[in-house]
Amino acid sequence: MDYRSNVTYITFGGHVEVQKYRYLYFVIMFTMYILIISCNVIIVCIIMIHKNLHEPMYIFIAALLINSVLFSTVIYPKLLIDFLSEKQIISYPACLFQWFSYYWLAASDILLLSIMAYDRYVSICNPLKYTTIMQKKTVNIFLISAWVLPVCLLSVGLLLIAKKEICTFNLKGILCNSTVQTLHCVRSRILNIYGLVNLVTVLILPVLFILFTYSRILVVLYRCRGVRRRAAQTCLPHLLVLINFSCLTAYDVLLLRLELNSPKIVRLIMTLQAVIYHPLFNPIIYGLTITRIYDNLKRLFC
């Protein structure tokens, strides 16, 4: 606590020998940050420029990649500053903002993935009704909902956390995520219940919906051999992104337990994987596996 400015500061205790390897950490993470921004922005620009990509599926992909850019911008600049600083600290309000942005974008991602699953379901299972169902107005409603709904849900959690008294000023991590709750003097039962409700609302239910839609798609593919190849080309990237996202989410859900028992180096590696793989995995998968995007990338670089 800084009494002169009346601002509470939190220390990140998850760094491993940062004083010794600060420049190595900085170079690696700065390179990753530039690579993430470049890959995502290039594909988003390709989708925006080429009119043949102005279709719902590609618009949703662009929204997902924009989320990756925002997610990286919330995480990486602070990490880079910490690597070059003598003390790895953050003000408590800034920590709460990072927590809010972290989970807002994560919840938005899973909602976008569920929307993309529905889009593929309509395209493959009801192709004649696709243009009627997936109109521009419907696409806009889906996009706004994917960004606004998580904000509404998390704002309540943010207010509950902000009102809690903190007794610990050291986080056993390198960023503000679910470990923020370990700072509180007393664990809140209401906050735990609210977190469980949010978990069901923005994670479990969308995942169940995605599994349902893809199971229906598999039934159609089994019956109609003619659409198997086209469907596989468009559905496989979404499934790979979903699997990657699910693994990262599982780690975050278990983080509160892992941070009490696992070595610091293990927590650091897993956290770095989470902030590198997720925003970098999406543009690589979509850029290499979606034929129209891949063709435009080849024309751009070749």
Side-chain angles (χ1 to χ4, degrees), residues 26-255:
F26 181 86
V27 171
I28 293 175
M29 297 305 292
F30 181 75
T31 303
M32 290 296 102
Y33 183 47
I34 297 300
L35 187 61
I36 288 169
I37 297 298
S38 301
C39 291
N40 284 281
V41 169
I42 287 172
I43 295 181
V44 170
C45 289
I46 285 175
I47 293 173
M48 292 175 61
I49 293 171
H50 294 88
K51 292 184 178 180
N52 66 326
L53 299 180
H54 292 180
E55 297 178 5
M57 183 182 76
Y58 301 101
I59 293 173
F60 296 139
I61 290 175
L64 195 68
L65 299 185
I66 290 173
N67 273 8
S68 296
V69 173
L70 294 175
F71 177 84
S72 301
T73 303
V74 168
I75 301 299
Y76 276 81
K78 176 56 180 169
L79 279 179
L80 295 174
I81 292 173
D82 285 342
F83 291 145
L84 298 181
S85 302
E86 291 298 323
K87 294 183 179 180
Q88 292 72 46
I89 60 175
I90 186 172
S91 67
Y92 189 55
C95 185
L96 293 182
F97 173 77
Q98 190 178 67
W99 172 91
F100 178 85
S101 302
Y102 183 94
Y103 289 106
W104 164 49
L105 294 169
S108 177
D109 276 358
I110 192 63
L111 291 179
L112 284 171
L113 288 173
S114 62
I115 291 169
M116 293 161 76
Y118 175 73
D119 174 75
R120 292 300 85 205
Y121 168 77
V122 176
S123 175
I124 295 170
C125 299
N126 295 287
L128 298 179
K129 298 181 179 180
Y130 181 77
T131 55
T132 303
I133 296 175
M134 299 301 293
Q135 297 180 357
K136 184 177 180 180
K137 181 179 179 181
T138 305
V139 171
N140 291 335
I141 292 174
F142 280 152
L143 288 174
I144 294 172
S145 300
W147 279 313
V148 173
L149 181 60
V151 170
C152 297
L153 291 174
L154 289 170
S155 294
V156 178
L158 181 63
L159 292 175
L160 292 175
I161 291 177
K163 291 181 179 180
K164 293 291 293 180
E165 183 181 1
I166 61 175
C167 294
T168 304
F169 302 94
N170 182 73
L171 277 177
K172 295 182 179 180
I174 60 174
L175 52 87
C176 296
N177 46 17
S178 60
T179 55
V180 169
Q181 296 184 42
T182 62
L183 301 175
H184 299 157
C185 300
V186 180
R187 292 292 180 89
S188 172
R189 185 177 180 182
I190 295 177
L191 192 58
N192 288 336
I193 295 174
Y194 181 77
L196 182 61
V197 172
N198 275 351
L199 182 67
V200 173
T201 304
V202 300
L203 181 63
I204 296 178
L205 291 180
V207 168
L208 291 176
F209 175 77
I210 292 171
L211 294 176
F212 169 77
T213 55
Y214 279 109
S215 65
R216 296 294 299 170
I217 290 173
L218 287 175
V219 171
V220 173
L221 296 183
Y222 179 77
R223 294 175 181 175
C224 306
R225 296 183 179 180
V227 299
R228 286 184 182 178
R229 183 177 179 181
R230 179 177 66 86
Q233 288 178 342
T234 57
C235 292
L236 182 60
H238 302 319
L239 286 174
L240 292 175
V241 170
L242 176 64
I243 293 171
N244 176 66
F245 182 85
S246 300
C247 293
L248 299 178
T249 304
Y251 160 69
D252 190 78
V253 171
L254 297 174
L255 188 60

Side-chain angles (χ1 to χ4, degrees), residues 281-296:
F281 184 83
N282 293 353
I284 292 176
I285 287 297
Y286 288 124
L288 295 180
T289 59
I290 302 293
T291 305
R292 289 190 190 178
I293 296 177
Y294 179 69
D295 290 341
N296 283 294

